Amino acid sequence: KTLPEASTGQEPRNQPTSVEERNAWPWWKVKKWSVQIMSRLFSRYGIPSYAEDEVKEFARHFSVNVAPQFLGPVCETLNLRPSGQFCTDRVVHLCLTFVDLAVELAPTYKLLKPHMDFLLYKVCFPTMCLTAEDIEQFENDPHEFVHKQNSPLADFYDPRMSAITLVTDLVKHRGKDVTQPLLSFLTEIIQRYGSSEDAAKNHVEKDGALLAFGSLSDLLLSKKKYSSELEGLMVSSVFPDFNSPVGFLRCRACWMVQRFSTVTWSDDGSNLRNLIQLVLQRLSDPALPVQIEASKALRFLIEVDGAETTLLPVLPQILNEYFRIMNEIGNDEVVA
């Protein structure tokens, strides 16, 4: 059911204009519960091989006759934001969770497959990108930004997390259809960023592309045809971001080190030494989120062969920075 803006005068009337009030509006709550119930039913009965013996017959009926009918309204709801309409974060999160369940089931994937470009590039990728509110929070309330980005509850309400999960599961279960086009899309974004004039660079888009690459790190590192390209990606597209004037790109560069610390370096060790120095510099970055991601990155680099020759001489300074960051954020996660 379409929920029109209050200005149209259509039923249901009087939709609020603020996000907080919309989240509490009964009609959006109805949508939330509708998708949640569909997801619960799908998770229990959608894939017959996972169902308990006493309900397998019903599960077979559900997977063929019921689950595909759920997909239409879910995809229509996911099209609200790409078409310029409003949808609450919670409803987007639940819709993406439902689609994630549908990817593994043949009858529902058959319906999804023709719309894969829309799903990946119009829904998932924009959802993974930072919003204006995220950037404002990064710059003006860094403690809250750090808390939000590291919240263990994010998997249960954050649409960005459900978009990441959907993309990784598509690559896992439907890789032949998805992987190469997706990597080409992300590579094009990275290359366009590198070739653009400074004023024309889309920083948010590049951050989203790196987030997608990093989220696929297990796959990329495990396959030789991809792993051989990762050194070039890190040196040409991540190393420069350690000194970017854009704070959230410096933060993403540190995060990428965590995802790709096991990359095989083909040179004489200078790339690894350079990377360690770049991360060490970010420990004293002006932005708190960058400091924290840098401290996490060092935990991964410490385990890399050859890293000790660069790290041991500056170990006292590293410990001082760690203790300072711990005091600032009030916990010891950076050294866990």
Side-chain angles (χ1 to χ4, degrees):
K1 181 178 178 64
T2 302
L3 300 180
E5 296 294 327
S7 59
T8 66
Q10 299 175 5
E11 294 288 349
R13 297 185 180 186
N14 302 320
Q15 176 166 191
T17 54
S18 75
V19 173
E20 293 76 12
E21 290 177 322
R22 291 194 205 230
N23 287 330
W25 197 44
W27 282 104
W28 280 113
K29 286 194 171 185
V30 167
K31 275 193 180 291
K32 179 192 75 172
W33 282 109
S34 297
V35 183
Q36 196 157 21
I37 290 168
M38 287 191 290
S39 294
R40 294 272 181 89
L41 289 170
F42 202 123
S43 63
R44 180 166 293 186
Y45 306 116
I47 302 178
S49 59
Y50 294 168
E52 297 177 1
D53 291 341
E54 59 267 26
V55 296
K56 280 192 182 297
E57 185 176 346
F58 174 76
R60 282 190 285 269
H61 170 80
F62 180 91
S63 65
V64 174
N65 299 298
V66 181
Q69 296 184 44
F70 285 171
L71 205 55
V74 168
C75 289
E76 288 174 8
T77 302
L78 286 174
N79 190 42
L80 289 174
R81 288 187 176 181
S83 61
Q85 301 177 67
F86 176 81
C87 188
T88 65
D89 280 353
R90 183 68 170 135
V91 170
V92 172
H93 167 77
L94 289 168
C95 285
L96 289 171
T97 300
F98 180 89
V99 174
D100 185 43
L101 293 167
V103 164
E104 201 171 343
L105 181 65
T108 46
Y109 180 69
K110 185 178 179 180
L111 297 174
L112 280 173
K113 187 176 178 180
H115 309 289
M116 200 51 59
D117 283 359
F118 160 77
L119 191 61
L120 283 170
Y121 311 133
K122 300 297 184 182
V123 177
C124 287
F125 183 73
T127 303
M128 293 169 69
C129 289
L130 292 171
T131 65
E133 291 76 16
D134 292 327
I135 297 170
E136 192 277 335
Q137 191 174 69
F138 180 96
E139 294 172 349
N140 299 315
D141 192 359
H143 286 82
E144 182 57 30
F145 181 88
V146 169
H147 172 74
K148 182 179 176 183
Q149 295 296 312
N150 295 279
S151 172
L153 299 177
D155 287 346
F156 301 101
Y157 69 81
D158 187 352
R160 182 175 292 115
M161 297 304 299
S162 54
I164 292 170
T165 300
L166 174 55
V167 169
T168 54
D169 283 347
L170 277 167
V171 168
K172 176 182 177 181
H173 297 298
R174 307 295 176 181
K176 290 183 180 179
D177 299 330
V178 171
T179 305
Q180 201 54 55
L182 175 61
L183 293 179
S184 297
F185 170 80
L186 299 174
T187 301
E188 182 184 347
I189 291 174
I190 297 294
Q191 291 175 343
R192 183 167 62 244
Y193 183 92
S195 62
S196 298
E197 297 291 334
D198 288 349
K201 291 183 184 296
N202 189 329
H203 308 304
V204 169
E205 194 178 55
K206 182 181 183 182
D207 179 79
L210 291 179
L211 172 59
F213 271 122
S215 299
L216 298 173
S217 59
D218 289 344
L219 165 83
L220 298 177
L221 287 165
S222 66
K223 295 186 179 294
K224 187 175 181 179
K225 65 176 180 178
Y226 301 134
S227 63
S228 61
E229 304 293 327
L230 293 176
E231 181 180 17
L233 172 70
M234 293 294 289
V235 172
S236 65
S237 300
V238 177
F239 280 24
D241 285 346
F242 279 98
N243 294 306
S244 169
V246 181
F248 61 80
L249 281 180
R250 299 196 303 273
C251 194
R252 182 64 63 201
C254 294
W255 179 83
M256 285 288 284
V257 174
Q258 300 167 44
R259 305 300 298 183
F260 293 109
S261 63
T262 58
V263 162
T264 301
W265 303 104
S266 61
D267 64 349
D268 59 359
S270 59
N271 279 336
L272 176 60
R273 290 192 295 273
N274 187 22
L275 177 59
I276 294 172
Q277 290 296 338
L278 290 169
V279 173
L280 287 173
Q281 290 168 15
R282 291 307 109 211
L283 284 175
S284 55
D285 192 275
L288 176 64
V290 180
Q291 298 173 27
I292 292 174
E293 291 304 318
S295 68
K296 292 179 182 178
L298 275 182
R299 288 159 45 190
F300 290 86
L301 290 175
I302 286 171
E303 300 177 9
V304 178
D305 288 343
E308 66 277 0
T309 57
T310 304
L311 291 171
L312 284 176
V314 293
L315 187 58
Q317 295 95 309
I318 294 174
L319 291 175
N320 286 336
E321 291 294 333
Y322 269 50
F323 288 128
R324 179 187 60 76
I325 296 170
M326 286 165 54
N327 286 335
E328 180 147 5
I329 64 174
N331 66 53
D332 58 356
E333 182 184 356
V334 295
V335 294

